[in-house]
Amino acid sequence: YNCERGTIIHDHTAGTITNEAQRLRAYIPVSDGRLHDALQLSKWLITARDSSPPARLVLSGRIIEQAANWADLGVPQLIENCLSWAWARNKIAGDLANAGWHGVMRLPGGNGQSSSAEERELFLEARREIINEAGSQMRLRTFAVLSRLDWLVEQHAADTETGDYLRELQQRVANGPAVADWVDELRNELKVRNARAVRTRNALVHGGPLITAVAESVVDVLDSLSSQSLEWVIEGLAAERALPEVFADHGRRYADAIGRLREGGDPQVELSELLKLP
């Protein structure tokens, strides 16, 4: 189960459009130039995921530049004040989902041939609670993982790969300040990765050497940031709100939540309600 790949493939842009279909119907045929452009960029972004990394890198960078213009921000400010928070949140959600998947599927009861009836029942109960298998797509209930993390830790020995991973995650969400430190670490990681992505994209745009392996290593960063920015643009236009206000509100919501965590807030409350873990 590859969480980073899953995050990109199952981005929320299309879902946002679907959820806002009734409101958007009033704009069809689309007369708002920004909405038309955002929908077009969203379509291109999805289609481009079948293209080469360099092409995706150039398009994603262009989307971020356009979103920054709509939000009345410079690109660095857009990423630092708004998108970096969402990126960190998505990484946390991805780690929780990954931990939930391996923590459940590697329970002793996962093997119906060798497990006891009691182990099998514990496995099936945990699987029903943590893994949503309804519909065509299997999804991890990340809040359920957070709620059952201590229990999952107890089920796996510390000297196993799964047990070690679960214990590391347990420490990261042990209390509010620990989560806030984790978010800081992730946002700093994004700065490094985004700077590398920007340098690579600039080299491509200005005729520099084409090193596909480098583009492959950084394209997911700009893809994720551009997808998030488009989601907020479409959300704001559908709600008939000023886009600078929309982006500012998102940035403020994340910053406020991390501030409460830093002051000792409950990780389960903040991560589930304010950071919107599913």
Side-chain angles (χ1 to χ4, degrees), residues 33-105:
R34 296 171 302 171
L35 181 56
H36 180 276
D37 290 346
L39 292 171
Q40 183 67 69
L41 288 171
S42 179
K43 178 181 178 181
W44 287 348
L45 182 62
I46 293 170
T47 303
R49 287 172 183 154
D50 293 325
S51 303
S52 65
R56 292 173 56 201
L57 201 60
V58 172
L59 174 61
S60 294
R62 178 69 188 91
I63 290 172
I64 293 169
E65 291 171 352
Q66 181 59 73
N69 182 55
W70 283 329
D72 198 21
L73 292 168
V75 170
Q77 289 71 38
L78 172 69
I79 294 174
E80 174 68 17
N81 299 341
C82 305
L83 297 178
S84 66
W85 296 109
W87 191 83
R89 172 268 183 200
N90 290 340
K91 293 286 286 185
I92 291 173
D95 270 358
L96 286 169
N98 195 42
W101 172 259
H102 290 292
V104 169
M105 299 308 293

Side-chain angles (χ1 to χ4, degrees), residues 126-199:
R127 180 167 179 159
R128 284 191 296 268
E129 182 177 351
I130 291 173
I131 302 175
N132 180 6
E133 300 182 78
S136 60
Q137 294 181 348
M138 181 175 60
R139 303 293 297 271
L140 275 293
R141 298 186 178 96
T142 45
F143 179 61
V145 177
L146 192 63
S147 300
R148 295 292 298 273
L149 185 57
D150 290 343
W151 180 83
L152 286 171
V153 166
E154 292 173 358
Q155 310 310 307
H156 297 275
D159 59 354
T160 64
E161 182 181 359
T162 300
D164 181 62
Y165 179 51
L166 287 169
R167 282 164 176 79
E168 179 183 353
L169 185 60
Q170 185 184 44
Q171 290 302 309
R172 289 189 176 277
V173 298
N175 51 57
V179 176
D181 288 344
W182 188 13
V183 171
D184 288 342
E185 177 185 321
L186 289 170
R187 293 180 73 218
N188 287 331
E189 176 189 337
L190 176 61
K191 288 181 182 179
V192 174
R193 296 182 64 183
N194 180 63
R196 188 181 304 133
V198 170
R199 288 195 300 270

